[in-house]
Amino acid sequence: MDLNTISDIAFPETRDEVWPLLDGDAVMAGGTWLMSEPQVHLLRLIDLNGLGWEPYVIRDEGLQLGATCTIETISGLSRSDALLDNWCAAPLLHQCCTALLQSFKIWKTATIGGNLSLAFPAGAMVSLAAGLDGVVTIWTGDGGEYQSSVIDFVTGPAENIMGTHDVLRSVLFPAAAMRSRTAYRKIALSPLGRSGAVILGRRYTDADGGGLTLTVSGATDRPHDLPFGDVPTQAELDHALDERIPPQSWYTDCHGAADWRRAVTGVLAHEIREELA
Ligand SMILES: Cc1cc2nc3c(=O)[nH]c(=O)nc-3n(C[C@H](O)[C@H](O)[C@H](O)COP(=O)(O)OP(=O)(O)OC[C@H]3O[C@@H](n4cnc5c(N)ncnc54)[C@H](O)[C@@H]3O)c2cc1C
């Protein structure tokens, strides 16, 4: 879509050149959402791709993805020997990429940073990053930065903790989460529809504490973690779903009603509990 109010596009190559950001400015990563609907309040786009951020870096602490890393690259990491040799969670990267409704254009250009910044309930990268204990690093205009868990980063549908002119720089999936055994379930009202619920599980190695954590996303207005010291019983899992997810968090939109989402989440969560037992 043509964005007729845009009169300038900036291509910063260093951090200092990104700011100052003014009213009417928007940073752009893949541009797949920005170009998909009218943005009459915007006058200038700041393309982040010239900053040359590494798409991913494999560190002792875990897997760090640059905010401009594309869905296609994240999916490809699931087949990378560098990940598969050390990290059981590698297949989850591709699985979560398939939870995004997308054309090949979105597959090739949409970024994890754009998806996290939008913070939609159906945000597949929100599911992935929350489900791997992701920690985001955010740059501020005064040269500073801060970190947040992805669970705390998303505060509601299309809401996150970033200030107006903050820029999401990267997300780290800690090594303990990458070493964990994972399980993935997604359901949508139609085969290619946006996600109605995405439920992820991770079972940490004994050396990492051996616990099991479920992440509920897609079904709720923001992602929720349900950590258990060990594999929960059916009753413990049902209790946690009722007690730890506020009733008002179950989400209704054209991709599913709240009561349906609550019901299918229960079914899928039990499947994950059995798979990771
Ligand atoms: C047909 C279609 C289907 C879609 N399906 C889905 C879906 O199923 N689930 C879903 O979640 N989304 C969906 N989207 C929305 C969108 O395409 C994706 O969320 C995509 O991942 C956005 O990434 P992007 O890099 O293209 O973001 P952009 O379009 O570049 O930016 C999106 C927003 O995030 C901001 N932003 C981008 N990067 C940063 C950053 N590093 N720091 C701070 N702010 C930033 C931008 O200013 C803008 O407000 C769909 C879009 C279309 C057109």
Side-chain angles (χ1 to χ4, degrees):
M1 160 176 296
D2 291 339
L3 301 181
N4 298 320
T5 54
I6 301 293
S7 57
D8 188 18
I9 301 181
F11 297 94
E13 293 182 355
T14 65
R15 176 174 178 167
D16 287 345
E17 291 169 9
V18 174
W19 286 274
L21 293 171
L22 308 170
D23 290 346
D25 287 348
V27 296
M28 178 171 70
T32 62
W33 177 80
L34 279 168
M35 303 286 178
S36 73
E37 49 185 82
Q39 310 284 353
V40 291
H41 60 295
L42 293 183
L43 303 173
R44 190 171 76 115
L45 297 176
I46 294 87
D47 190 330
L48 297 176
N49 291 289
L51 291 163
W53 293 338
E54 297 253 35
Y56 63 92
V57 184
I58 296 171
R59 303 183 183 286
D60 288 345
E61 310 95 279
L63 174 65
Q64 180 184 300
L65 298 179
T68 47
C69 184
T70 63
I71 307 273
E72 180 181 48
T73 300
I74 295 168
S75 165
L77 283 171
S78 280
R79 298 187 302 278
S80 145
D81 289 341
L83 264 71
L84 287 168
D85 287 349
N86 298 303
W87 287 333
C88 277
L92 191 70
L93 301 175
H94 171 72
Q95 287 171 322
C96 286
C97 290
T98 66
L100 187 73
L101 170 67
Q102 59 199 311
S103 62
F104 75 93
K105 285 187 281 188
I106 291 180
W107 181 257
K108 287 192 166 294
T109 55
T111 66
I112 186 165
N115 196 262
L116 290 172
S117 300
L118 286 168
F120 292 152
M125 296 299 99
V126 174
S127 301
L128 172 66
L132 285 177
D133 296 328
V135 176
V136 287
T137 295
I138 297 157
W139 280 357
T140 54
D142 60 5
E145 66 177 40
Y146 58 100
Q147 273 88 28
S148 167
S149 70
V150 172
I151 286 286
D152 292 332
F153 173 79
V154 179
T155 52
E159 289 172 10
N160 64 54
I161 63 169
M162 280 195 292
T164 316
H165 293 141
D166 292 352
V167 170
L168 181 54
R169 168 62 184 88
S170 61
V171 55
L172 176 76
F173 302 152
M178 290 302 299
R179 279 190 291 266
S180 67
R181 199 153 56 85
T182 60
Y184 165 91
R185 294 291 186 282
K186 176 218 158 172
I187 192 164
L189 285 175
S190 60
L192 294 178
R194 282 201 190 168
S195 303
V198 178
I199 317 300
L200 306 180
R202 54 203 176 279
R203 178 96 190 259
Y204 300 97
T205 64
D206 288 343
D208 291 320
L212 185 152
T213 298
L214 279 172
T215 301
V216 174
S217 59
T220 46
D221 59 356
R222 44 167 300 227
H224 294 276
D225 258 355
L226 305 181
F228 301 93
D230 203 341
V231 179
T233 63
Q234 269 200 11
E236 285 168 343
L237 178 50
D238 285 334
H239 182 74
L241 286 167
D242 284 337
E243 291 299 312
R244 295 194 223 159
I245 300 180
Q248 67 275 15
S249 190
W250 299 101
Y251 195 59
T252 292
D253 65 4
C254 58
H255 308 296
D259 59 347
W260 172 76
R261 284 177 147 139
R262 169 64 185 88
V264 294
T265 295
V267 173
L268 301 178
H270 281 293
E271 287 182 13
I272 287 180
R273 185 187 72 85
E274 285 170 13
E275 183 176 328
L276 295 180

